[in-house]
Amino acid sequence: MSPSRAVLITGVNSRSGLSSGTGRATALRLHRAGWPVYATGRSTEGLQDLADEGITTLRVDVTDEESMAAAVKRVTEEHGAVGVLVNNAAYSLNGTIGETPIDAVRAQFETNFFGLSRMTQLVLPGMREQRSGRIVMMSSIFGLFATPGRGYYQATKHALEAISDSLRLEVAPAGIKVVVIEPSPILGSFVPTTVDDLALDANSDLYADFWEHFVEWHGAYREVEHPKGRGRTSVRAGDVAAVVEKAITAARPRIRYRIGIPVRLLRPQRAIFGDRAWEAFVSRFFPTP
């Protein structure tokens, strides 16, 4: 019996403008290429257009064990196992390290780190049984360095990078491949238009000027404004989806796929600069208090 080709994608959000859209773009691209795709999100209400295309949509909240287990069970019953898991579910918590309530930090890790870890655990038995499978971890350029105001979100991406490297070596004997996707900032992803959009539940008065600058700076990634300057350093959701397809179809996939010029230049630049010069660059280029 051939190994399963069923693709389970987490975090395929509705077209609300509040996400990068990579999950949706990936679901559509793989479906149109003939893969059996299961697109999942915390609600299926906004995924009707995907269902109309023939994509199976399921409710999966990666902080809810029951919904995750049910999705894996459904795919396993219909295809024998999950053939490809795309760990895409995530959101970005805005807030400074000292002022963000610890409950908000825990919630960030529950979705971005513990959720994908548990989903990975759930699909591994089926992949091991068929001695085949591919796990795609959606990281970010911010899994490689950190900036003020998003440190906890960036910490989850750093953690994703670490467990991916451990997992890759652990499951290689079973024929399972683990791939990390590292996009540069994604054009059209959620960016705030006002400080209120940041939904800060910390003391924002302490950093009032910083947050105003933060909102203005991120406006460069608002697709509708046809940005120049920083916008030229970004990539589109469709670009990311194309790389995901490459990662799951390559006989010998790369360990990491770096998408866009900024993420490709980051490692050599940081090595040349050294720690102090790199921090000076970050403090000049990105919003800082």
Side-chain angles (χ1 to χ4, degrees):
M1 184 175 178
S2 300
S4 169
R5 296 178 73 249
V7 182
L8 180 61
I9 308 173
T10 65
V12 181
N13 298 309
S14 61
R15 286 191 283 192
S16 60
L18 299 179
S19 73
S20 66
T22 56
R24 173 177 292 275
T26 299
L28 286 168
R29 185 180 185 95
L30 295 180
H31 170 71
R32 290 166 182 170
W35 293 78
V37 174
Y38 292 76
T40 75
R42 297 183 70 179
S43 170
T44 59
E45 292 180 3
L47 303 179
Q48 186 57 48
D49 61 314
L50 299 183
D52 291 343
E53 283 234 9
I55 298 174
T56 302
T57 60
L58 301 174
R59 179 194 169 274
V60 171
D61 180 342
V62 296
T63 67
D64 174 16
E65 171 84 13
E66 185 176 343
S67 71
M68 289 190 286
V72 173
K73 183 174 183 287
R74 166 84 177 269
V75 179
T76 301
E77 289 174 347
E78 296 179 359
H79 294 274
V82 173
V84 178
L85 171 64
V86 181
N87 273 316
N88 179 69
Y91 71 95
S92 178
L93 175 66
N94 299 302
T96 51
I97 300 302
E99 287 66 46
T100 303
I102 201 64
D103 286 345
V105 177
R106 290 192 177 100
Q108 174 82 134
F109 273 83
E110 283 292 341
T111 293
N112 291 18
F113 182 70
F114 295 118
L116 73 85
S117 297
R118 183 56 182 148
M119 183 61 84
T120 299
Q121 290 178 337
L122 289 169
V123 304
L124 281 175
M127 289 183 175
R128 286 195 174 100
E129 186 174 349
Q130 68 174 6
R131 298 201 61 78
S132 175
R134 204 153 295 196
I135 297 171
V136 178
M137 299 289 206
M138 298 300 294
S139 186
S140 164
I141 188 174
F142 295 112
L144 307 178
F145 76 107
T147 62
R150 299 178 76 198
Y152 287 118
Y153 161 72
Q154 292 157 350
T156 66
K157 294 302 184 181
H158 279 67
L160 177 153
E161 295 271 347
I163 65 165
S164 296
D165 288 343
S166 294
L167 178 65
R168 185 179 304 104
L169 297 173
E170 292 168 356
V171 300
I176 302 167
K177 295 178 171 62
V178 179
V179 177
V180 178
I181 307 293
E182 296 174 342
S184 299
I186 300 172
L187 187 65
S189 60
F190 168 68
V191 289
T193 57
T194 69
V195 173
D196 288 342
D197 290 340
L198 298 173
L200 300 170
D201 50 4
N203 178 10
S204 59
D205 291 339
L206 182 60
Y207 291 102
D209 292 341
F210 164 69
W211 290 120
E212 290 289 348
H213 184 200
F214 186 93
V215 169
E216 179 185 359
W217 189 93
H218 281 82
Y221 296 105
R222 226 172 269 128
E223 188 171 17
V224 295
E225 294 180 357
H226 304 289
K228 298 179 181 179
R230 286 190 299 275
R232 294 175 182 169
T233 67
S234 59
V235 297
R236 295 182 181 275
D239 300 330
V240 180
V243 173
V244 172
E245 182 181 22
K246 185 183 297 184
I248 69 174
T249 55
R252 191 167 182 264
R254 297 177 189 175
I255 289 175
R256 283 175 171 79
Y257 287 85
R258 300 182 175 104
I259 310 170
I261 293 173
V263 74
R264 291 174 186 165
L265 294 180
L266 191 150
R267 288 183 186 274
Q269 281 184 331
R270 191 167 186 174
I272 293 169
F273 285 4
D275 288 342
R276 289 194 182 280
W278 176 258
E279 185 162 281
F281 164 73
V282 171
S283 68
R284 290 191 181 102
F285 186 78
F286 292 89
T288 55

